[in-house]
Amino acid sequence: MERLFNLRELGTNVRTEILAGITTFLTMVYIIIVNPAILSAAGVPFDQVFIATIASAVIGTLIMSLSAKYPIAIAPGMGMNAYFASVVATNGVSYQIVLGTVFLAGILFLLLSFTKFRETLIHSIPASLKYGITSGIGLFIAFIGLKMAGIVVPNAETMVSFGDLHQPVTILSLFGLFITLILIARKINGALFIGMLVTAVIGYFSGLLQFDGIVAAPPPPVFFDFDIGGVFSNGLYTVVFAFLLVTIFDTTGTMIGVAEQAGLMKNGKFPRAKSALMADAVATTVGASLGTSPSSAYIESSTGVAAGGRSGLTAFVVAILFMIALFFSPFVSAISSLPAITAPILIIVGCFMMEGLAKVNWKSFDDAFPAFAIILTMPLTSSIATGIAIGFITYPLMKLVSGKGREVHPILYVFGVIFIIQMIFFPAH
């Protein structure tokens, strides 16, 4: 182990790496509950999402561990799962078609990992758009969490209004939210997971949660349950681009952030970047072929780094723990069926994703407004793709009329024109 993962050179040891892996797993294991809860509501069979979530996490994290050798874990990303469900709902298409968009995005990500276009794309898109996209997704999934909890409900006159606090699920959701906030404020490792368990215990004793079992043999996987032809017949090109773009930004930003925290950056560069991005691209492609939304590097990996993790052994431990989780599908299924357990996580993760707003230059209107437009339109239209399109149209336009057109990379002008054409002639959510 020491030689395989260069533990001595990195100033770490097996015990530290194992503890770091356990720490990372506990902070992100909520995804095996939240992801099936969100995607099964969109029509994907629960067992299929459960297997796909764990399979993509294991495969992506193992590649990260053994090839890139970073203490970074991979799993289906938050935000993209909620967007997946909204595409199914707003476009009236089957989940197999939306899985087709994820598969195509994964293939494109794989191909881009071998070229310099990926780097050109990342560098061409300004910080205000990147932060606007992340923050918009944060508001989007927090809004979904509020609706799941019954804290906000539909209203014919005002679109939404405050919910009924006498409803048992809403009461339990609020309790789960506050107990998890307390755990986070106290800096407890695994606060999200522990908060879910505490809420589940209360739900069980209050009769809102029932178990048919805890442990069972893993359900059989379902392969290639996607419809690529439906992607083209329904004109879901913007959805493919949205999945691709957000996955690239989210993954790249998280990987660099965690690597910097661990002191693994070399002269400002990210070594073995191709292998690291390949881990995410493969996980996304495999996940789509089995039945889940795109994967991403998890910022929760930073908790493992804080616990001393410096090598791929940390990620290897995370992958092993995800494998063990395969045998707990009845337990996960029961917890996923009660919105009060998963809704607080969506709300809190939404808050985490707002951090980038502090980095937007709000004093520069031509930078601020496109970010604002993205943040505004994503939750109100229930479409990440629409928010991205609005941002890519308004940013080059604002810069052009402000006399700063030369600051904009030519790629953004191309994308701006494409999005205008798409929104006028081929509208898709």
Side-chain angles (χ1 to χ4, degrees):
M1 284 290 185
E2 288 190 6
R3 185 173 299 177
L4 176 62
F5 294 106
N6 301 318
L7 301 187
R8 188 169 298 178
E9 295 177 18
L10 295 169
T12 184
N13 55 61
V14 173
R15 180 178 178 276
T16 299
E17 294 293 305
I18 291 175
L19 289 175
I22 294 172
T23 300
T24 296
F25 176 76
L26 287 176
T27 58
M28 65 180 289
V29 67
Y30 67 85
I31 193 61
I32 68 171
I33 297 173
V34 177
N35 204 48
I38 293 174
L39 296 189
S40 60
V44 191
F46 174 86
D47 285 347
Q48 185 174 342
V49 186
F50 179 73
I51 285 288
T53 300
I54 292 179
S56 57
V58 169
I59 291 171
T61 305
L62 280 178
I63 295 174
M64 182 69 72
S65 166
L66 301 173
S67 181
K69 298 187 177 181
Y70 283 114
I72 300 173
I74 303 287
M78 289 296 296
M80 290 291 93
N81 45 17
Y83 177 50
F84 183 106
S86 76
V87 173
V88 172
T90 57
N91 287 274
V93 296
S94 67
Y95 73 82
Q96 289 93 343
I97 292 175
V98 186
L99 282 175
T101 66
V102 178
F103 184 78
L104 288 175
I107 294 296
L108 289 173
F109 196 178
L110 272 172
L111 295 175
L112 289 178
S113 297
F114 293 105
T115 70
K116 291 186 177 181
F117 181 75
R118 172 186 53 80
E119 294 179 10
T120 302
L121 182 62
I122 291 172
H123 294 311
S124 69
I125 298 176
S128 61
L129 290 188
K130 294 176 184 177
Y131 296 134
I133 290 169
T134 303
S135 301
I137 293 172
L139 278 182
F140 178 47
I141 65 174
F143 182 56
I144 289 174
L146 291 171
K147 290 194 294 183
M148 287 174 60
I151 297 172
V152 296
V153 294
N155 183 293
E157 296 180 359
T158 61
M159 294 181 65
V160 293
S161 60
F162 196 59
D164 182 1
L165 297 186
H166 294 91
Q167 294 297 319
V169 170
T170 305
I171 294 172
L172 184 58
S173 298
L174 288 170
F175 178 85
L177 177 62
F178 285 119
I179 195 68
T180 308
L181 290 174
I182 291 170
L183 292 170
I184 293 172
R186 299 297 301 172
K187 301 187 186 302
I188 305 296
N189 282 332
L192 295 180
F193 183 64
I194 295 171
M196 293 175 72
L197 288 182
V198 172
T199 308
V201 169
I202 296 172
Y204 177 76
F205 284 107
S206 63
L208 294 174
L209 178 63
Q210 296 179 344
F211 292 99
D212 294 326
I214 302 296
V215 180
V222 177
F223 294 98
F224 306 113
D225 186 24
F226 54 75
D227 179 4
I228 293 179
V231 177
F232 297 102
S233 62
N234 287 277
L236 299 180
Y237 310 111
T238 310
V239 177
V240 175
F241 183 72
F243 279 136
L244 174 64
L245 196 64
V246 175
T247 303
I248 289 177
F249 288 157
D250 192 28
T251 292
T252 305
T254 298
M255 287 180 182
I256 291 174
V258 174
E260 284 180 346
Q261 180 191 1
L264 300 173
M265 298 288 285
K266 304 294 182 183
N267 299 319
K269 294 185 178 180
F270 185 46
R272 305 182 300 283
K274 184 177 292 186
S275 297
L277 289 167
M278 189 68 66
D280 190 30
V282 172
T284 294
T285 308
V286 170
S289 67
L290 291 171
T292 188
S293 47
S295 294
S296 178
Y298 262 61
I299 193 61
E300 284 84 352
S301 302
S302 62
T303 62
V305 169
R310 293 294 182 273
S311 77
L313 180 54
T314 294
F316 187 80
V317 172
V318 174
I320 296 300
L321 292 173
F322 267 113
M323 287 184 192
I324 295 172
L326 270 174
F327 297 92
F328 291 88
S329 60
F331 176 76
V332 173
S333 177
I335 290 182
S336 299
S337 66
L338 181 58
I341 298 174
T342 52
I345 306 305
L346 296 179
I347 297 168
I348 292 170
V349 171
C351 175
F352 289 157
M353 297 179 74
M354 304 299 289
E355 180 183 358
L357 286 181
K359 301 175 183 177
V360 176
N361 184 6
W362 294 104
K363 293 182 179 180
S364 174
F365 191 72
D366 48 13
D367 279 314
F369 184 81
F372 167 75
I374 293 171
I375 296 164
L376 184 68
T377 53
M378 279 189 184
L380 292 183
T381 63
S382 294
S383 174
I384 290 173
T386 299
I388 290 174
I390 295 296
F392 272 70
I393 291 170
T394 56
Y395 184 86
L397 182 62
M398 293 288 291
K399 289 293 183 180
L400 197 61
V401 299
S402 299
K404 304 176 184 176
R406 293 185 178 181
E407 296 180 6
V408 181
H409 195 285
I411 288 180
L412 261 68
Y413 288 113
V414 174
F415 280 136
V417 172
I418 291 173
F419 279 127
I420 290 173
I421 295 172
Q422 184 269 324
M423 292 187 77
I424 295 174
F425 299 104
F426 308 100
H429 296 283

